[in-house]
Amino acid sequence: MPHILFADDNDLMRATLSRLLGPYGAVRAVADGQAALAAAQSQAFDLILLDIKMPGTDGIAACEALRASGFDGPVIALTADGSVERDVRYKAAGFSGLIEKPFAAADLVREVQGALERVKGIEPSS
């Protein structure tokens, strides 16, 4: 079963995404980027989703740190940032995908399934 890490400072978002992603893997939800980095050091994850705007260590800094530590799996940004330079900034940080907030549950699930399918040896459940 794939291991999925999700970081968001919003309690409701963590609960909702944990429920939505539960059928596709073992989900660990944390409240900020620093907690995501600590979790990634203590356990191997197949997929990481990071909210961009979080207090302390934001999603961009967390992604950069994950990549610097050698994590080469998919890291997906969750963001409401609609700026023109967003895509360049997120790619430079090491994100492999992006989901815009607000998003439909079906879009999130489709993105997660696709990312898991691209990870060698992992077959997401349907």
Side-chain angles (χ1 to χ4, degrees):
M1 173 174 275
H3 293 307
I4 302 168
L5 175 62
F6 171 60
D8 195 300
D9 58 323
N10 181 290
D11 293 339
L12 180 58
M13 184 65 75
R14 284 194 312 275
T16 300
L17 263 65
S18 292
R19 183 181 48 77
L20 282 173
L21 300 179
Y24 305 98
V27 179
R28 182 164 175 192
V30 297
D32 58 45
Q34 193 60 44
L37 294 173
Q41 288 176 345
S42 67
Q43 179 182 347
F45 289 94
D46 301 297
L47 170 64
I48 299 176
L49 296 101
L50 299 170
D51 182 35
I52 295 301
K53 294 201 178 199
M54 295 183 283
T57 303
D58 67 12
I60 291 175
C63 185
E64 290 170 339
L66 286 164
R67 295 304 189 200
S69 73
F71 182 78
D72 63 354
V75 181
I76 298 174
L78 299 173
T79 184
D81 176 6
S83 70
V84 175
E85 57 280 335
R86 171 195 72 194
D87 292 346
V88 172
R89 199 168 63 246
Y90 290 6
K91 277 202 183 287
F95 285 100
S96 49
L98 168 80
I99 298 174
E100 284 192 49
K101 290 180 177 181
F103 52 82
D107 293 337
L108 173 76
V109 167
R110 187 173 33 258
E111 185 74 23
V112 166
Q113 284 181 311
L116 290 173
E117 288 169 358
R118 290 187 292 276
V119 175
K120 185 178 171 118
I122 294 177
E123 295 294 325
S125 58
S126 299

